Amino acid sequence: MKRIHPLADLAPRDIVAKEISRQMLNSESKYVWLDATNVKDFEERFPTIFASCMKYGIDPRKDYIPVSPASHYASGGVRVDLNGHSTVKGLYVCGESACTGAHGANRLASNSLLEGLVFAARIAEDIANNLAEFSEPYESGEPTILLDPVIRNAIQQAMSRGAE
Ligand SMILES: Cc1cc2nc3c(=O)[nH]c(=O)nc-3n(C[C@H](O)[C@H](O)[C@H](O)COP(=O)(O)OP(=O)(O)OC[C@H]3O[C@@H](n4cnc5c(N)ncnc54)[C@H](O)[C@@H]3O)c2cc1C
């Protein structure tokens, strides 16, 4: 990481994750090694990770830990305004399905739950204030399509390979 970013291992997580992916692709490996042997009091500071490593026969105090990036948030989604309205009348979206504009390409830690709370409350308020509009079911008249779930794996792999 020293060659990639002035903050080296402490670079923003998207930069670290992309570099790990690049290294894994170049070396055709399923993981890279994390050297945490210099971390003092690993077992007290990271008890859950320590327990999981030990369960798999890896002692982080002396062994390298095999790691690979994982997705824990999808940036993007259905574009909505600041009250959760999508472009389809009567369709509100919040949470990870929504693109509220509250995050950049690299969401800050713990902002997703806050976003869910704030936008859910705004949506509830908006619906309560506009109840009359929702008395009739909305029919768009557009045909709907559902994607076959078998393509999920292929899409995941393409998205990981193409992450830039
Ligand atoms: C490992 C991990 C760690 C995270 N850590 C943090 C953190 O520290 N702080 C933070 O802010 N965010 C964190 N996040 C992100 C955060 O958890 C999510 O962004 C947030 O939970 C999204 O909320 P949501 O309500 O949009 O979706 P979800 O919480 O995913 O809820 C969607 C719900 O819909 C249900 N569902 C799916 N399909 C159907 C269906 N067809 N019919 C009916 N129900 C269905 C699911 O079972 C689920 O209960 C983390 C995510 C992961 C994976």
Side-chain angles (χ1 to χ4, degrees):
M1 284 306 298
K2 282 187 192 141
R3 283 180 293 113
I4 306 299
H5 195 277
L7 291 172
D9 293 354
L10 298 178
R13 57 186 168 177
D14 60 317
I15 294 174
V16 177
K18 281 176 196 162
E19 186 53 25
I20 293 176
S21 297
R22 223 168 272 132
Q23 295 295 332
M24 284 166 43
L25 275 176
N26 290 345
S27 59
E28 294 180 9
S29 170
K30 290 194 166 138
Y31 51 80
V32 297
W33 295 110
L34 174 67
D35 178 2
T37 54
N38 281 333
V39 176
K40 280 207 174 86
D41 306 323
F42 191 102
E43 60 273 47
E44 276 108 58
R45 293 174 68 188
F46 306 105
T48 313
I49 299 172
F50 183 75
S52 233
C53 286
M54 293 301 272
K55 189 171 139 201
Y56 292 99
I58 298 156
D59 183 344
R61 293 167 300 189
K62 55 185 176 63
D63 301 327
Y64 292 167
I65 310 171
V67 294
S68 69
S71 152
H72 87 314
Y73 187 78
S75 280
V78 180
R79 192 176 292 280
V80 292
D81 68 13
L82 293 178
N83 287 312
H85 296 123
S86 70
T87 53
V88 176
K89 187 168 172 266
L91 179 68
Y92 291 84
V93 187
C94 76
E96 206 155 324
S97 310
C99 177
T100 59
H103 313 295
N106 194 14
R107 175 181 68 77
L108 292 177
S110 284
N111 273 5
S112 65
L113 293 180
L114 285 176
E115 182 193 38
L117 286 171
V118 169
F119 278 82
R122 286 186 177 187
I123 288 173
E125 199 182 323
D126 198 271
I127 292 174
N129 290 338
N130 298 291
L131 258 189
E133 278 188 38
F134 297 104
S135 54
E136 293 296 322
Y138 176 73
E139 296 281 347
S140 76
E142 304 269 322
T144 56
I145 52 155
L146 284 178
L147 293 179
D148 188 332
V150 296
I151 65 169
R152 184 179 169 157
N153 238 340
I155 289 183
Q156 276 177 337
Q157 284 173 21
M159 296 294 285
S160 295
R161 270 197 311 274
E164 274 306 329

